[in-house]
Amino acid sequence: MSHVIALVDDDRNILTSVSIALQAEGFLTRVYTDGLTALRAFTENPPDLGVFDIKMPQMDGMELLRRVREMGGPVGTMPVIFLTSKDDEVDEALGLAMGADDYISKPFSQRLLIARIRALLRRQDLARGNGNGADSVNEAEPPLIERGRLVMDPARHKVLWDERDVTLTVTEFLILEALAQRPGVVKSRNQLLDVAYQDDVYVDDRTIDSHIKRIRRKFRSADPQFDAIETLYGVGYRFGEE
């Protein structure tokens, strides 16, 4: 089944050219010229991945991402790639801090965009236990990760804390999984970057700090006393041993 990609950009030329390129690669596309229209459509027909421009009328990409992440379910956790202005580091930092999974600066190579889309969808399929190919049928599901009050089900991309659901994006899930696999062991920012991003994605190591803040915020919605992710200043992060 083909993945559905939502393209949100007020530049119709970009929408047309990228849509044609993605369809030639076997993807289904839906195009929107503003964030508000896209958000309304997502509630009825959630896409598998979104590509959002940041600067748009009515509702910009930042606000669209914020609203998407608040929705929960398939929409709330779908991978999102931001299209940013060239060399605009502020846009990139804000986008990643708000929960974007990747960013590409304009003008961009369509080949690069397609490669990034494939990489994120591959990660999402694996995280949700939807691996494709004949071999995946015979592969055993990855085991549950149970650490005190935390339960992670990698095959279903499901997280529980005190039996309460906690909705994480693919990137957030991968970071938490890396920490929870070895409680008490410190992971540096660079080690967590290696887990969370593809080799050809270059982001500042402080991006991990933003993701950790978002993970903590989500867990504290379920448990205001959540403190299982510990910061070792100047070193990195670890999942506390109980």
Side-chain angles (χ1 to χ4, degrees):
M1 184 176 178
S2 298
H3 286 103
V4 177
I5 312 299
L7 306 174
V8 191
D9 198 311
D10 62 332
D11 188 325
R12 294 182 183 274
N13 291 328
I14 288 179
L15 287 178
T16 299
S17 62
V18 173
S19 182
I20 291 173
L22 288 173
Q23 290 172 15
E25 294 292 323
F27 294 105
L28 300 177
T29 60
R30 299 179 190 146
V31 299
Y32 309 95
T33 55
D34 66 87
L36 185 58
T37 302
L39 186 67
R40 290 169 177 164
F42 292 171
T43 59
E44 297 181 2
N45 297 296
D48 297 304
L49 180 145
V51 179
F52 301 168
D53 184 31
I54 289 185
K55 295 177 173 64
M56 296 184 292
Q58 296 190 55
M59 180 186 292
D60 65 18
M62 293 290 188
E63 178 65 12
L64 175 59
L65 177 62
R66 186 186 70 79
R67 299 276 288 273
V68 162
R69 291 295 182 236
E70 290 176 348
M71 293 173 71
V75 177
T77 59
M78 74 173 178
V80 170
I81 297 174
F82 261 145
L83 301 180
T84 71
S85 301
K86 188 177 182 180
D87 298 327
D88 196 337
E89 295 180 0
V90 175
D91 281 351
E92 295 169 0
L94 283 174
L96 291 167
M98 293 176 68
D101 295 279
D102 201 350
Y103 64 84
I104 295 179
S105 296
K106 293 181 178 180
F108 58 89
S109 158
Q110 290 186 356
R111 180 176 298 179
L112 173 62
L113 176 60
I114 291 170
R116 297 283 179 84
I117 288 172
R118 289 194 183 282
L120 282 173
L121 289 173
R122 190 159 54 243
R123 283 169 49 193
Q124 172 134 299
D125 286 344
L126 289 172
R128 294 181 175 178
N130 297 327
N132 296 320
D135 292 340
S136 65
V137 175
N138 298 319
E139 289 178 359
E141 288 188 354
L144 294 178
I145 298 172
E146 300 183 69
R147 302 288 184 263
R149 290 176 285 172
L150 174 71
V151 178
M152 300 186 72
D153 185 348
R156 295 165 182 80
H157 192 77
K158 188 175 181 65
V159 180
L160 298 175
W161 180 262
D162 279 342
E163 300 184 353
R164 298 179 181 176
D165 283 306
V166 179
T167 302
L168 301 180
T169 67
V170 174
T171 302
E172 292 163 354
F173 190 98
L174 291 171
I175 291 171
L176 179 61
E177 183 179 28
L179 293 171
Q181 283 175 337
R182 300 186 66 190
V185 175
V186 180
K187 295 281 188 179
S188 69
R189 292 184 181 89
N190 285 333
Q191 287 175 315
L192 294 175
L193 279 175
D194 289 342
V195 169
Y197 291 95
Q198 300 294 312
D199 292 339
D200 60 349
V201 178
Y202 299 100
V203 295
D204 187 274
D205 61 1
R206 293 292 174 176
T207 298
I208 292 298
D209 298 347
S210 297
H211 286 301
I212 292 291
K213 287 179 183 178
R214 289 180 59 81
I215 293 169
R216 284 173 170 156
R217 189 181 307 129
K218 290 180 177 183
F219 274 89
R220 285 171 183 162
S221 294
D223 174 11
Q225 304 304 314
F226 175 83
D227 61 357
I229 298 177
E230 302 172 358
T231 302
L232 280 79
Y233 293 98
V235 183
Y237 297 96
R238 70 182 173 195
F239 192 87
E241 296 178 291
E242 294 201 353

